[in-house]
DNA sequence: ATCTCTTACGTAAGCGCTTGCGCAACCAGT
DNA sequence: ACTGGTTGCGCAAGCGCTTACGTAAGAGAT
């Protein structure tokens, strides 16, 4: 920067002002300095700038998982929203319960960030407190976090849509493959979807049969297991809604291997609209993950640039996508 | 930090030394200071530290895509390798050709990073020059970049394995669904895999029939199109190898819709071992993406901590995974 | 011509660390 | 007791910026 100042015949203060866009320099000098900086391929050091003004321009994204569609898509959305802004993204992954705790403990050390976006994992009360202490802006993407800003879908409604679709097709024995949390802390997703499922049954005056609700580990093999258990029931369901598309994929594999015709003998619907859902023609309830991410990114941006943020809680709509795995129950002869 | 110094009755210099682990403080003072810092929940400001010592501890990961399995998995691997190290990860996404150019132009402004990991996208000569100018450590993950450090698989070999497997099963008309680059710059992957395919045919003294090699856009719909084209051939192939599992998935959908029995009428093998490959029982050549990422992360770590790095070019082995979509050609009656 | 207000710019004091250098104090060796 | 080598620590000079404050010059008003 002193180079530029010397060459332009001004003080470094002016250079700083010219480059940062703050007032106090004439337009003439500003453009002259800018041009010079461009020529010399010069750019201010973010570190020094940050140090001098006390941090600005970095947001951390914390996730429990990266390699899976949902999280990767959220992240993609966030990146899209933040691209072109002057915000840099710092990425953290906390896979295990204990790593998560450590992350929050070390948060002060991370005091290099101005905001935190949490990708859909539960946060304990204690951790919530730590966040408060830090005083950083926090946005939850794909869930809720007390009354802090969040971007999410209505899980109850999503499950209701899936279940309702099957009921409407004439099914009366509709099962639910739900996910068990990967966390010790209660996480809202599975509970909400269970409620949505129940709600749809209730609306149709259908009895909720406990044996038709099975829990399995999140993921496709969990789905496969769960479906196997449902099939081994004395009276198997004629339709099942899965917690997620991935679990539905696993279920589909079990069905294929068991030689059960879909949707002729059994209908299946997932929740997500995973990129592969189209490929295997899975009926599902679409969750706009990319947009969730984008909204989350936009939200922190607004929060950080304290534009007036009218609504800090955004809930995006889900939508039924009917494909090949759902149909009317076979009229048993 | 001055707080700590005051409370411990030493100078801030000693505190800095104690906390950073550098020598020049007695063990006694060091532990005393450390304890105090822990109590006061204090951590050094990374910005200030970086400014003072001239940057250290940040690596940028640049990718063209995030929402897809391959990239997300690479990233996951990198994060895993870097977790626990003192390196922070800054994430950049450059989707379009022009964004990529801008990224490299603005690289100086990013001079906050000590290393760059590029996730499998081509880099022009000009951009390579810019990298040289910057003097940052660069590692290419999932490809090569001149003679710079890289971590990758042998694409030629992968395609050869896939093709060989089909030939071994007795197929003589083996097609290749190749990907067209998403970039204007030539990217090695498709070319190498084409060579591998050709090599396997040659080894088996099989003629390479041009009509059996089709190009399509990367992705499952590209695969679907390509397969449709192959099926409309006067003499369709009895087996096809797809550039990637995703393209194979698309191909599989076309086959299912066309009512063609797999592998009875037609065998299909992909390359990747995508998480969904298992679900749809796709035979494929496994590419250890997570490990690629991990190796890349470990590599930059070593490079940055100038441990002696014997081999900066690591090529990980691929491996055939036989599942349900490949078999012997039907003996035509 | 004088006074005030604005505008353009420079001066210098930090921001919170790291580190080269110097100074005591202490250890051994002779 | 005297010298030379360690060791533990403080001093202070930065690292590359931002910004409050001060100053000088020009614009407008009287």
């Amino acid at each position: 920067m002193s180079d530029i100042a010397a060459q332009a015949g001004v003080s470094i203060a002016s250079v700083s002002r010219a480059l940062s866009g703050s007032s106090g320099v004439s337009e003439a000098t500003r453009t002259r300095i800018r041009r010079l900086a461009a020529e010399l391929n010069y750019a201010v050091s973010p570190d020094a700038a940050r140090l001098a003004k006390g941090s600005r321009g970095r947001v951390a994204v914390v996730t429990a998982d990266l390699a899976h569609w949902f999280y990767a898509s959220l992240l993609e959305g966030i990146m899209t929203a933040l691209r072109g802004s002057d915000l840099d993204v710092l990425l953290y992954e906390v896979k295990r319960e204990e790593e998560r705790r450590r992350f929050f403990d070390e948060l002060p050390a991370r005091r290099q960030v101005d905001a935190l976006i949490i990708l859909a994992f539960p946060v304990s009360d204690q951790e919530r407190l730590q966040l408060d202490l830090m005083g950083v802006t926090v946005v939850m993407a794909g869930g809720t976090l007390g009354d802090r800003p969040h971007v999410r879908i209505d899980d109850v409604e999503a499950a209701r849509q899936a279940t309702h679709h099957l009921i409407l097709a004439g099914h009366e024995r509709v099962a639910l493959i739900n996910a068990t949390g990967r966390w010790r802390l209660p996480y809202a997703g599975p509970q909400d979807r269970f409620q949505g499922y129940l709600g749809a049954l209730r609306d149709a005056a259908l009895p909720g049969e406990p044996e038709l609700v099975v829990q399995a580990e999140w993921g496709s093999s969990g789905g496969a297991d769960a479906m196997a258990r449902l099939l081994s029931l004395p009276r198997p369901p004629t339709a099942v809604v899965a917690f997620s598309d991935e679990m539905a994929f696993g279920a589909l594999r079990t069905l294929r291997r068991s030689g059960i015709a879909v949707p002729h003998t059994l209908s299946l619907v997932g929740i997500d609209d995973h990129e592969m859902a189209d490929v295997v023609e899975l009926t599902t309830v679409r969750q706009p993950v990319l947009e969730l991410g984008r909204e989350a990114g936009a939200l922190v941006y607004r929060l950080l640039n304290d534009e007036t943020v009218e609504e800090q809680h955004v809930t995006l709509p889900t939508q039924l996508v009917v494909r090949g795995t759902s149909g009317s129950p076979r009229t048993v002869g």
Side-chain angles (χ1 to χ4, degrees), chain A residues 19-333:
Chain A
L19 259 30
S20 71
S22 43
S23 64
V25 264
S26 64
E27 267 320 304
T29 13
R30 186 188 299 272
T31 53
R32 183 159 50 96
I33 291 175
R34 286 240 163 113
R35 179 144 38 229
L36 207 54
E39 265 172 38
L40 267 55
N41 215 317
Y42 167 85
V44 305
S45 148
D47 286 317
R50 199 162 358 242
L51 179 57
K53 53 182 162 186
S55 197
R56 203 170 308 271
R58 232 155 23 194
V59 10
V61 174
V62 198
T63 176
D65 201 334
L66 265 172
H68 286 285
W69 173 83
F70 180 75
Y71 301 95
S73 299
L74 271 182
L75 184 54
E76 160 85 23
I78 292 172
M79 293 302 292
T80 304
L82 258 32
R83 187 159 350 131
S85 81
D86 48 356
L87 263 38
D88 274 329
V89 172
L90 233 38
L91 188 62
Y92 296 100
E93 193 184 20
V94 291
K95 288 194 94 79
R96 307 189 308 132
E97 191 92 14
E98 160 240 328
E99 285 172 358
R100 208 195 59 221
R101 195 158 29 240
R102 202 151 51 84
F103 175 80
F104 282 99
D105 283 345
E106 286 178 358
L107 252 190
R110 312 296 193 185
R111 66 182 194 289
Q112 38 181 352
V113 301
D114 309 304
L116 210 59
I117 302 181
I118 298 180
L119 297 199
F121 63 76
V123 173
S124 74
D125 291 343
Q126 146 98 32
E127 288 158 354
R128 228 167 278 198
L129 225 68
Q130 287 172 297
L131 285 177
D132 283 340
L133 254 53
M134 289 270 312
V136 294
T137 303
V138 179
V139 169
M140 171 65 98
T144 62
L145 179 58
D147 54 359
R148 283 194 190 62
H150 68 233
V151 177
R152 56 162 201 142
I153 59 157
D154 184 339
D155 282 292
V156 178
E157 178 59 19
R160 183 194 298 273
Q161 288 173 319
T163 314
H164 180 68
H165 165 64
L166 292 168
I167 294 175
L168 215 63
H171 293 276
E172 293 184 348
R173 292 183 59 73
V174 181
L176 171 68
I177 295 181
N178 210 355
T180 57
R182 331 150 69 182
W183 304 101
R184 261 185 254 137
L185 294 172
Y187 191 53
Q191 299 173 25
D192 285 354
R193 295 191 186 177
F194 178 54
Q195 288 308 324
Y197 161 79
L198 244 40
L201 292 184
R202 210 180 305 118
D203 289 350
L206 250 34
E209 296 171 54
E211 58 174 25
L212 291 185
V213 176
V214 297
Q215 305 259 351
E217 215 168 286
W218 190 88
S220 67
S221 60
D225 288 355
M227 182 55 91
R229 268 183 278 148
L230 285 175
L231 291 181
S232 69
L233 246 36
R235 276 183 68 210
T238 63
V240 0
V241 1
F243 174 81
S244 70
D245 282 359
E246 285 200 61
M247 297 195 79
F249 296 148
L252 227 37
R253 181 176 52 181
T254 297
L255 291 169
R256 187 166 7 90
R257 289 189 175 165
S258 310
I260 292 178
V262 175
H264 185 61
T265 307
L266 194 144
S267 284
L268 179 65
V269 7
I271 295 178
D272 269 350
D273 202 20
H274 188 286
E275 49 170 350
M276 290 297 299
D278 184 45
V279 175
V280 300
E281 310 196 39
L282 177 70
T283 294
T284 192
V285 173
R286 172 165 203 279
Q287 168 175 204
V289 196
L290 246 40
E291 285 98 72
L292 283 176
R294 258 183 260 136
E295 286 288 337
L299 191 53
V300 296
Y301 183 84
R302 273 184 263 127
L303 253 20
L304 247 34
N305 293 270
D306 42 38
E307 299 176 12
T308 47
V309 180
E310 37 341 301
E311 199 36 277
Q312 313 200 332
H313 296 164
V314 358
T315 301
L316 261 32
T318 53
Q319 186 193 353
L320 180 71
V321 180
V322 180
R323 295 205 186 87
T325 60
S326 62
S328 292
R330 161 178 64 173
T331 40
V332 189

